[in-house]
Amino acid sequence: RVDVPNAQGKLESWAIEMNSPNNLVNAGWKRSTLKLGDKVTVKISPLRDGRPGGLYVGITLPDGKYLGAPEEKKDGYQ
């Protein structure tokens, strides 16, 4: 889950579906990759029904490091 500000500036909790832990580790994730309160940019393929959430594509961490789909796919799920 990530908290995302909506158009009115209020936080909404978005559910993000991710891959298996083994695949995430192979993609560079560690237990310490994210800390509570980190400000990150998450790329997702949104849910078709418009609810707040989607399928994880990639993430830009606070230090600027990117994890996820190859760079050419960052701007849209393919």
Side-chain angles (χ1 to χ4, degrees):
R1 292 203 167 274
V2 294
D3 290 330
V4 179
N6 65 19
Q8 293 78 33
K10 294 185 181 180
L11 290 181
E12 292 181 339
S13 182
W14 285 48
I16 309 299
E17 184 175 331
M18 298 184 75
N19 213 327
S20 71
N22 187 50
N23 287 341
L24 292 172
V25 168
N26 288 337
W29 283 81
K30 300 177 190 166
R31 283 184 185 263
S32 61
T33 297
L34 293 176
K35 294 168 193 63
L36 186 63
D38 279 352
K39 300 224 183 293
V40 298
T41 300
V42 181
K43 297 279 185 178
I44 65 166
S45 178
L47 296 172
R48 287 186 274 182
D49 64 7
R51 287 180 296 145
L55 178 65
Y56 165 81
V57 175
I59 188 170
T60 303
L61 302 172
D63 65 2
K65 182 177 179 182
Y66 177 79
L67 298 175
E71 292 294 322
E72 65 269 11
K73 294 184 181 178
K74 280 193 338 183
D75 293 328
Y77 184 71
Q78 299 176 358

XYZ file of all heavy atoms in Angstrom:
599
model
N 0.843 -1.176 0.000
C 0.000 0.000 0.000
C 0.881 1.229 0.000
O 1.913 1.259 0.649
C -0.908 0.007 1.211
C -1.964 -1.083 1.166
C -3.138 -0.694 2.062
N -4.284 -1.532 1.815
C -5.196 -1.304 0.879
N -5.088 -0.268 0.096
N -6.216 -2.093 0.711
N 0.419 2.245 -0.726
C 1.077 3.548 -0.728
C 0.015 4.612 -0.528
O -1.129 4.458 -0.946
C 1.876 3.822 -2.028
C 3.048 2.871 -2.165
C 1.005 3.735 -3.255
N 0.396 5.694 0.139
C -0.497 6.829 0.325
C -0.233 7.834 -0.781
O 0.903 8.266 -0.983
C -0.279 7.475 1.692
C -0.759 6.595 2.830
O -1.708 5.815 2.614
O -0.194 6.676 3.930
N -1.299 8.215 -1.491
C -1.200 9.097 -2.650
C -2.133 10.286 -2.439
O -3.307 10.097 -2.131
C -1.618 8.337 -3.935
C -1.552 9.230 -5.149
C -0.770 7.093 -4.122
N -1.621 11.521 -2.610
C -2.524 12.667 -2.488
C -3.490 12.722 -3.674
O -3.081 12.566 -4.821
C -1.596 13.884 -2.478
C -0.278 13.407 -2.966
C -0.245 11.915 -2.835
N -4.775 12.927 -3.393
C -5.761 13.030 -4.474
C -5.853 14.476 -4.959
O -5.081 15.342 -4.525
C -7.122 12.479 -4.039
C -7.760 13.277 -2.922
O -7.417 14.422 -2.657
N -8.720 12.658 -2.251
N -6.789 14.783 -5.835
C -6.929 16.126 -6.422
C -7.210 17.184 -5.363
O -6.870 18.358 -5.555
C -8.038 16.124 -7.470
N -7.820 16.807 -4.239
C -8.123 17.749 -3.163
C -6.991 17.833 -2.138
O -7.103 18.553 -1.156
C -9.426 17.354 -2.452
C -10.676 17.489 -3.304
C -10.837 16.338 -4.290
O -10.450 15.222 -4.011
N -11.381 16.636 -5.458
N -5.930 17.064 -2.349
C -4.796 17.083 -1.428
C -4.904 16.117 -0.268
O -3.998 16.038 0.558
N -5.986 15.357 -0.201
C -6.148 14.364 0.867
C -5.472 13.069 0.450
O -5.453 12.716 -0.728
C -7.624 14.113 1.150
C -8.324 15.322 1.730
C -9.741 15.004 2.095
C -10.425 16.242 2.661
N -11.799 15.981 3.026
N -4.928 12.345 1.448
C -4.245 11.097 1.144
C -5.238 9.963 0.925
O -6.194 9.804 1.678
C -3.290 10.722 2.268
C -2.052 11.602 2.425
C -1.194 11.101 3.570
C -1.247 11.657 1.143
N -4.997 9.191 -0.131
C -5.747 7.963 -0.418
C -4.770 6.799 -0.312
O -3.619 6.924 -0.711
C -6.304 7.977 -1.836
C -7.373 8.981 -2.094
C -7.894 8.899 -3.532
O -7.195 8.367 -4.412
O -9.004 9.381 -3.741
N -5.234 5.690 0.196
C -4.417 4.491 0.282
C -4.632 3.661 -0.989
O -5.755 3.250 -1.282
C -4.809 3.676 1.514
O -3.978 2.547 1.624
N -3.575 3.480 -1.760
C -3.638 2.704 -2.994
C -3.036 1.325 -2.761
O -1.955 1.201 -2.172
C -2.853 3.402 -4.099
C -3.522 4.591 -4.683
C -4.108 5.630 -4.026
C -3.665 4.881 -6.070
N -4.607 6.547 -4.901
C -4.340 6.110 -6.170
C -3.280 4.233 -7.232
C -4.646 6.694 -7.392
C -3.570 4.814 -8.443
C -4.257 6.028 -8.524
N -3.719 0.288 -3.224
C -3.222 -1.079 -3.144
C -2.410 -1.371 -4.402
O -2.906 -1.201 -5.516
C -4.381 -2.067 -3.033
N -1.170 -1.774 -4.223
C -0.292 -2.084 -5.346
C 0.033 -3.575 -5.298
O 0.563 -4.079 -4.310
C 1.021 -1.268 -5.279
C 0.743 0.222 -5.102
C 1.884 -1.549 -6.495
C -0.042 0.864 -6.209
N -0.300 -4.280 -6.363
C 0.001 -5.704 -6.463
C 1.402 -5.853 -7.034
O 1.728 -5.263 -8.073
C -1.013 -6.398 -7.366
C -0.817 -7.889 -7.424
C -1.899 -8.575 -8.232
O -3.026 -8.066 -8.290
O -1.594 -9.627 -8.806
N 2.227 -6.632 -6.332
C 3.611 -6.809 -6.759
C 3.882 -8.268 -7.102
O 3.016 -9.120 -6.951
C 4.558 -6.312 -5.670
C 4.377 -4.823 -5.404
S 5.515 -4.144 -4.219
C 7.007 -4.075 -5.207
N 5.093 -8.523 -7.552
C 5.521 -9.856 -7.934
C 5.878 -10.677 -6.697
O 5.798 -10.184 -5.575
C 6.727 -9.733 -8.879
C 6.775 -10.820 -9.908
O 6.367 -11.942 -9.651
N 7.268 -10.498 -11.078
N 6.311 -11.910 -6.899
C 6.699 -12.766 -5.784
C 7.966 -12.222 -5.123
O 8.774 -11.544 -5.771
C 6.958 -14.189 -6.272
O 8.165 -14.230 -7.029
N 8.164 -12.500 -3.829
C 9.371 -12.029 -3.149
C 10.656 -12.451 -3.853
O 11.593 -11.658 -3.963
C 9.267 -12.657 -1.760
C 7.795 -12.808 -1.536
C 7.245 -13.169 -2.898
N 10.706 -13.665 -4.355
C 11.910 -14.142 -5.044
C 12.214 -13.283 -6.273
O 13.361 -12.887 -6.506
C 11.743 -15.609 -5.448
C 13.018 -16.191 -6.009
O 14.074 -16.053 -5.403
N 12.920 -16.821 -7.165
N 11.199 -12.965 -7.058
C 11.404 -12.127 -8.239
C 11.802 -10.709 -7.851
O 12.609 -10.074 -8.543
C 10.157 -12.105 -9.120
C 9.951 -13.412 -9.852
O 10.859 -14.206 -10.007
N 8.728 -13.646 -10.292
N 11.239 -10.186 -6.768
C 11.608 -8.842 -6.310
C 13.066 -8.801 -5.868
O 13.789 -7.846 -6.175
C 10.679 -8.385 -5.187
C 9.234 -8.124 -5.602
C 8.365 -7.866 -4.375
C 9.149 -6.977 -6.582
N 13.520 -9.823 -5.162
C 14.928 -9.892 -4.757
C 15.822 -9.931 -5.991
O 16.830 -9.222 -6.067
C 15.180 -11.111 -3.840
C 16.668 -11.364 -3.656
C 14.506 -10.898 -2.494
N 15.434 -10.720 -6.981
C 16.226 -10.795 -8.219
C 16.262 -9.458 -8.960
O 17.195 -9.182 -9.705
C 15.685 -11.884 -9.147
C 15.981 -13.270 -8.623
O 16.903 -13.472 -7.850
N 15.171 -14.226 -9.040
N 15.250 -8.618 -8.740
C 15.185 -7.300 -9.379
C 15.891 -6.220 -8.556
O 15.881 -5.056 -8.927
C 13.733 -6.907 -9.613
N 16.484 -6.607 -7.404
C 17.249 -5.653 -6.611
C 16.629 -5.218 -5.302
O 17.213 -4.436 -4.568
N 15.434 -5.721 -4.980
C 14.779 -5.356 -3.728
C 15.444 -6.047 -2.546
O 15.932 -7.161 -2.658
C 13.312 -5.771 -3.752
C 12.439 -4.869 -4.552
C 12.275 -4.881 -5.903
C 11.612 -3.818 -4.062
N 11.396 -3.912 -6.280
C 10.974 -3.237 -5.177
C 11.354 -3.313 -2.799
C 10.084 -2.175 -5.051
C 10.458 -2.257 -2.683
C 9.838 -1.703 -3.798
N 15.452 -5.360 -1.388
C 15.915 -5.916 -0.113
C 14.877 -5.548 0.939
O 14.034 -4.683 0.709
C 17.259 -5.291 0.290
C 18.357 -5.509 -0.694
C 19.593 -4.776 -0.220
C 20.625 -4.791 -1.331
N 21.689 -3.852 -1.102
N 14.968 -6.162 2.100
C 14.060 -5.804 3.201
C 14.174 -4.327 3.543
O 13.226 -3.701 3.974
C 14.376 -6.619 4.457
C 13.891 -8.016 4.417
C 14.187 -8.680 5.765
N 13.828 -10.064 5.724
C 12.677 -10.537 6.176
N 11.795 -9.723 6.705
N 12.401 -11.807 6.097
N 15.357 -3.774 3.362
C 15.623 -2.389 3.756
C 15.426 -1.390 2.608
O 15.727 -0.205 2.766
C 17.050 -2.272 4.283
O 17.976 -2.640 3.266
N 14.894 -1.825 1.457
C 14.742 -0.929 0.309
C 13.848 0.262 0.639
O 14.164 1.391 0.274
C 14.179 -1.696 -0.908
O 15.132 -2.712 -1.272
C 13.960 -0.781 -2.094
N 12.753 0.026 1.325
C 11.822 1.094 1.694
C 11.705 1.198 3.203
O 11.731 0.187 3.907
C 10.430 0.822 1.122
C 10.278 0.873 -0.375
C 8.858 0.492 -0.767
C 10.630 2.245 -0.913
N 11.580 2.431 3.657
C 11.341 2.678 5.070
C 10.035 3.467 5.192
O 9.686 4.228 4.288
C 12.497 3.459 5.666
C 13.795 2.661 5.690
C 14.978 3.546 6.002
C 16.270 2.852 5.727
N 16.490 2.495 4.339
N 9.339 3.289 6.282
C 8.091 4.003 6.527
C 8.325 5.498 6.357
O 9.275 6.053 6.900
C 7.583 3.696 7.928
C 6.217 4.256 8.278
C 5.146 3.657 7.370
C 5.899 3.964 9.721
N 7.493 6.133 5.543
C 7.598 7.570 5.329
C 8.445 7.979 4.133
O 8.483 9.157 3.791
N 9.146 7.027 3.489
C 9.927 7.363 2.292
C 9.018 7.960 1.229
O 7.904 7.484 1.008
C 10.600 6.118 1.701
C 11.882 5.734 2.400
O 12.350 6.509 3.263
O 12.423 4.658 2.083
N 9.491 8.990 0.567
C 8.756 9.592 -0.553
C 9.333 9.004 -1.826
O 10.517 9.182 -2.132
C 8.895 11.104 -0.533
C 8.357 11.702 0.759
C 7.529 12.915 0.507
C 7.056 13.569 1.772
N 6.124 12.839 2.540
N 8.510 8.270 -2.565
C 8.938 7.555 -3.763
C 7.970 7.846 -4.903
O 6.877 8.361 -4.688
C 9.004 6.024 -3.512
C 10.008 5.683 -2.434
C 7.636 5.479 -3.142
N 8.401 7.516 -6.109
C 7.523 7.584 -7.265
C 7.300 6.151 -7.734
O 8.262 5.447 -8.037
C 8.161 8.408 -8.400
O 8.407 9.721 -7.902
C 7.245 8.477 -9.604
N 6.041 5.735 -7.761
C 5.705 4.367 -8.144
C 5.025 4.391 -9.507
O 4.087 5.157 -9.724
C 4.775 3.712 -7.097
C 4.450 2.280 -7.491
C 5.401 3.754 -5.713
N 5.520 3.558 -10.426
C 4.881 3.389 -11.735
C 4.008 2.143 -11.649
O 4.451 1.086 -11.200
C 5.925 3.180 -12.830
C 6.854 4.346 -13.033
C 6.192 5.373 -13.880
C 7.178 6.490 -14.194
N 6.628 7.486 -15.042
N 2.736 2.300 -12.061
C 1.814 1.163 -12.016
C 1.017 1.095 -13.317
O 0.936 2.061 -14.068
C 0.829 1.256 -10.833
C -0.099 2.467 -10.994
C 1.548 1.269 -9.509
C -1.290 2.446 -10.060
N 0.449 -0.061 -13.531
C -0.591 -0.226 -14.535
C -1.892 -0.151 -13.744
O -2.178 -1.027 -12.928
C -0.443 -1.582 -15.230
O -1.471 -1.771 -16.157
N -2.672 0.926 -13.915
C -3.842 1.132 -13.053
C -4.928 0.079 -13.238
O -5.020 -0.561 -14.286
C -4.346 2.514 -13.461
C -3.761 2.792 -14.784
C -2.524 1.968 -14.922
N -5.750 -0.056 -12.207
C -6.893 -0.965 -12.282
C -7.878 -0.456 -13.326
O -8.105 0.748 -13.448
C -7.586 -1.050 -10.915
C -6.747 -1.656 -9.787
C -7.474 -1.492 -8.458
C -6.444 -3.117 -10.066
N -8.459 -1.363 -14.081
C -9.390 -0.976 -15.152
C -10.686 -0.377 -14.633
O -11.330 0.406 -15.325
C -9.697 -2.172 -16.046
C -8.513 -2.530 -16.941
C -8.894 -3.596 -17.891
N -8.697 -4.875 -17.213
C -8.899 -6.049 -17.749
N -9.340 -6.138 -18.985
N -8.684 -7.148 -17.078
N -11.075 -0.744 -13.407
C -12.345 -0.238 -12.885
C -12.218 1.128 -12.217
O -13.191 1.662 -11.697
C -12.989 -1.249 -11.940
C -12.181 -1.506 -10.687
O -11.157 -0.809 -10.456
O -12.571 -2.396 -9.914
N -11.021 1.712 -12.225
C -10.826 3.052 -11.695
C -10.571 3.148 -10.200
O -10.323 4.236 -9.686
N -10.635 2.022 -9.482
C -10.333 2.054 -8.053
C -8.868 2.440 -7.857
O -8.045 2.231 -8.742
C -10.608 0.702 -7.400
C -12.081 0.404 -7.260
C -12.311 -0.940 -6.605
N -11.772 -1.984 -7.489
C -11.200 -3.099 -7.065
N -11.079 -3.346 -5.780
N -10.746 -3.993 -7.921
N -8.509 2.991 -6.689
C -7.125 3.394 -6.461
C -6.208 2.199 -6.230
O -6.241 1.564 -5.185
C -7.205 4.284 -5.215
C -8.451 3.865 -4.524
C -9.381 3.358 -5.588
N -5.420 1.874 -7.229
C -4.492 0.755 -7.125
C -4.057 0.298 -8.488
O -4.433 0.874 -9.516
N -3.234 -0.746 -8.515
C -2.792 -1.284 -9.787
C -1.661 -2.278 -9.645
O -1.287 -2.672 -8.532
N -1.110 -2.663 -10.775
C -0.015 -3.624 -10.856
C 1.304 -2.874 -10.909
O 1.495 -1.982 -11.741
C -0.173 -4.495 -12.105
C 0.918 -5.521 -12.374
C 0.924 -6.577 -11.276
C 0.693 -6.178 -13.724
N 2.229 -3.234 -10.025
C 3.549 -2.611 -9.937
C 4.311 -2.767 -11.247
O 4.369 -3.840 -11.824
C 4.325 -3.275 -8.799
C 5.808 -3.006 -8.787
C 6.297 -1.827 -8.264
C 6.703 -3.942 -9.276
C 7.663 -1.582 -8.232
C 8.063 -3.711 -9.252
C 8.539 -2.525 -8.730
O 9.889 -2.289 -8.706
N 4.908 -1.664 -11.704
C 5.785 -1.668 -12.878
C 7.205 -1.307 -12.452
O 8.163 -1.955 -12.849
C 5.283 -0.686 -13.961
C 6.264 -0.606 -15.121
C 3.901 -1.088 -14.450
N 7.342 -0.265 -11.628
C 8.660 0.167 -11.178
C 8.546 1.219 -10.094
O 7.462 1.728 -9.808
N 9.685 1.554 -9.505
C 9.717 2.536 -8.427
C 11.020 3.321 -8.501
O 12.070 2.760 -8.804
C 9.574 1.843 -7.054
C 9.416 2.863 -5.920
C 10.745 0.916 -6.771
C 9.023 2.244 -4.583
N 10.918 4.622 -8.263
C 12.094 5.468 -8.108
C 12.227 5.761 -6.620
O 11.310 6.312 -6.006
C 11.977 6.777 -8.910
O 11.771 6.446 -10.281
C 13.238 7.611 -8.776
N 13.343 5.359 -6.043
C 13.586 5.494 -4.608
C 14.026 6.911 -4.257
O 14.386 7.694 -5.141
C 14.645 4.474 -4.188
C 14.289 3.009 -4.489
C 15.467 2.107 -4.211
C 13.075 2.581 -3.686
N 14.028 7.255 -2.965
C 14.425 8.603 -2.560
C 15.822 9.018 -3.050
O 16.066 10.183 -3.312
C 14.379 8.563 -1.032
C 13.403 7.487 -0.713
C 13.570 6.469 -1.811
N 16.721 8.056 -3.207
C 18.084 8.377 -3.676
C 18.182 8.451 -5.196
O 19.265 8.640 -5.747
C 19.097 7.380 -3.124
C 18.900 5.956 -3.631
O 17.982 5.712 -4.463
O 19.661 5.061 -3.207
N 17.041 8.271 -5.904
C 17.017 8.341 -7.364
C 17.197 7.016 -8.068
O 17.034 6.923 -9.284
N 17.519 5.959 -7.324
C 17.689 4.635 -7.925
C 16.335 4.118 -8.408
O 15.320 4.270 -7.727
C 18.290 3.669 -6.909
C 18.544 2.288 -7.468
C 19.208 1.391 -6.452
C 19.439 0.008 -7.030
N 20.042 -0.900 -6.055
N 16.328 3.499 -9.606
C 15.100 2.946 -10.169
C 15.146 1.431 -10.110
O 16.144 0.808 -10.476
C 14.932 3.406 -11.624
C 13.718 2.817 -12.289
C 12.453 3.337 -12.045
C 13.826 1.725 -13.133
C 11.325 2.789 -12.629
C 12.704 1.171 -13.729
C 11.464 1.699 -13.468
O 10.352 1.144 -14.047
N 14.057 0.815 -9.660
C 13.890 -0.640 -9.663
C 12.622 -0.955 -10.433
O 11.609 -0.290 -10.258
C 13.748 -1.183 -8.229
C 14.905 -0.981 -7.275
C 14.516 -1.477 -5.888
C 16.145 -1.710 -7.758
N 12.672 -1.959 -11.278
C 11.459 -2.364 -11.975
C 11.708 -2.707 -13.420
O 12.800 -3.114 -13.803
N 10.656 -2.504 -14.228
C 10.717 -2.806 -15.656
C 11.872 -2.029 -16.280
O 12.245 -0.963 -15.785
C 9.396 -2.434 -16.319
N 12.440 -2.530 -17.356
C 13.530 -1.810 -18.019
C 13.152 -0.360 -18.300
O 11.986 -0.034 -18.490
C 13.725 -2.587 -19.319
C 13.218 -3.950 -19.022
C 12.086 -3.752 -18.043
N 14.154 0.509 -18.332
C 13.947 1.954 -18.475
C 12.999 2.323 -19.610
O 12.192 3.217 -19.471
C 15.286 2.665 -18.679
C 16.179 2.634 -17.462
C 15.638 3.417 -16.298
O 15.051 4.490 -16.506
O 15.794 2.964 -15.160
N 13.074 1.650 -20.752
C 12.203 2.039 -21.870
C 10.738 1.750 -21.585
O 9.866 2.229 -22.281
C 12.632 1.359 -23.178
C 12.488 -0.153 -23.178
C 13.746 -0.881 -22.700
O 14.654 -0.231 -22.186
O 13.796 -2.110 -22.837
N 10.439 0.990 -20.541
C 9.048 0.676 -20.210
C 8.548 1.479 -19.013
O 7.430 1.295 -18.579
C 8.918 -0.815 -19.902
C 9.172 -1.688 -21.107
C 8.928 -3.129 -20.780
C 9.200 -4.016 -21.977
N 9.008 -5.411 -21.667
N 9.343 2.397 -18.462
C 8.961 3.118 -17.249
C 7.691 3.947 -17.432
O 6.929 4.091 -16.503
C 10.071 4.054 -16.800
C 11.152 3.371 -16.063
C 12.116 4.284 -15.346
C 12.232 5.673 -15.798
N 13.243 6.437 -15.083
N 7.470 4.504 -18.604
C 6.351 5.420 -18.770
C 5.038 4.742 -19.104
O 4.043 5.401 -19.329
C 6.685 6.463 -19.844
C 7.793 7.375 -19.378
O 7.892 7.633 -18.168
O 8.574 7.786 -20.221
N 5.004 3.452 -19.118
C 3.754 2.750 -19.363
C 3.974 1.257 -19.301
O 5.012 0.765 -19.676
N 3.041 0.565 -18.762
C 3.166 -0.889 -18.639
C 3.032 -1.535 -20.002
O 2.170 -1.181 -20.774
C 2.079 -1.415 -17.697
C 2.193 -2.880 -17.452
C 3.217 -3.401 -16.682
C 1.280 -3.760 -18.011
C 3.316 -4.757 -16.460
C 1.383 -5.115 -17.800
C 2.406 -5.607 -17.026
O 2.511 -6.947 -16.815
N 3.949 -2.436 -20.322
C 3.917 -3.144 -21.603
C 4.079 -4.627 -21.378
O 4.779 -5.047 -20.537
C 5.010 -2.657 -22.531
C 4.860 -1.204 -22.856
C 6.018 -0.709 -23.698
O 6.937 -1.429 -24.013
N 5.948 0.543 -24.075
